[in-house]
Amino acid sequence: MKLKTYLLCMMLGVGMIATRAQMVFTLNGVNATTETNPLDGSTTITVPKGTDLNGMITAVSIDGKAVDAAAITPNPKTTKLRYDELKIFTYNNRAYGFRFVEDVWFCAVFVSDCHINQGSGHDGTSTTDMATIMNNIFSMGKDGTRKVTFSTEGATNLVPKVDIVFCLGDIDQDKGDDGSSGTHDNFLGCTAELAKTAGIPFIFIAGNHDLSPDYWTGNDPDKGVTLSGSNADDQTVSAITANNDYWNKQGLFDENIQYITDDSKSSYFQSMPFTFKFKDVRFYCAHTYWFHKLYKKPGWFSSATYYAPDGVINALNSFVESHADEASVWMQHYPWLAGGDCNRWWLDQNDVGLYITTADASAYGCNTSGIAYNDAATANRLKKDPLAAIMMKAAGKVNGRVQHFSGHYHRFYDATYTSTAAADNKVRDYTVSANGNGDQTNNAFVVLFKRGEGVKEVVQTKF
């Protein structure tokens, strides 16, 4: 099948008439994208990885009229084309510059902890400021300016543009726009809706401010989810799945988003972690973390009943084993190491050590009473080590380390977790700063990916 790729380019060369013209190549069986370089007026043609450039061009037209390729110097149909080389074609004293590149690189931007309209106590961000941040992300590199520079071989001259954006939880006020309604319209309006307009996939996960924690702070007797909290949780998951459904329908992913759940407890609330493949890289997306407890909703005169996440972890393990050859990247709201209370978060404990045990057995300590407050060894052994072992089964590691992204800490952090059970199991966790952090305002990670290989470089920047 032949696909016409329309190439708008400015004429190059000294003394040329300042007139814009269109040169159109018909490409034989190649699905290419084109973009004009604002710095020199040339056109970049991006073709799939592994494309043979020789013989790719089968016909040429200029300003809508077919032109004999032999009348163009050099002949586009027969000249040898090389990747990353600026090629100048001339016709009737007009010059057209083209550069052919292989579609091997793509970029993601990670933000977190927007806390939309929640105030300075949570490093909150206003809807206006968040919209500005998002629009700056979407426009990155479009004017030819490098927002960040990569040192990875083959990408040093790349002008990064965003291909996908992730938000790693704590999206607005506690479980909703006003802290009680459960809706997330304020957050969605200044992030997800702008992404739809820009045509750039935006994926967000839930943090502990978006899904009911075991306890908030102190010895508050109102433990776990209430009726209103359960409804708010439903709306949070609904907002996430509705956003995912939208991007599934756009056909931009290699495959649709799939949810990793405990099918034996399908009637209970689950946080619905998910996975998808984008540009030949597998993304694994948890919410607070993979060990978020399932629960039976409370009634008017009864509390919620909590269940262990073991079925979700087992489903995750099975999925990873069946996709072990795919380069992967991972994310959840809780960091692996950042923050003095990190291990308490992994134990579902509040600031005085309160947490809720599960009604069923758990291999990860979720039903064990009396786990020591902030017990790092227990948290590592029962949760972090098994999860690291599962993650290690997937391809895409860098220097033997799984690549992971998190939020929650509100500050940048870059550290590697080493399993206490198997020293070869290592997870490098990049924790991204909150947008409203006064010392690190409007911060994000710009991440360079290579198709089929995963993360290549992570750069901290401001938008």
Side-chain angles (χ1 to χ4, degrees), residues 12-28:
L12 307 173
V14 178
M16 297 298 178
I17 302 173
T19 304
R20 293 177 183 266
Q22 286 184 328
M23 177 176 281
V24 179
F25 291 155
T26 300
L27 307 180
N28 185 24

Side-chain angles (χ1 to χ4, degrees), residues 215-223 350-354:
Y215 286 83
W216 278 111
T217 60
N219 290 288
D220 185 350
D222 185 19
K223 67 179 183 179
N350 72 351
D351 55 347
V352 297
L354 297 178

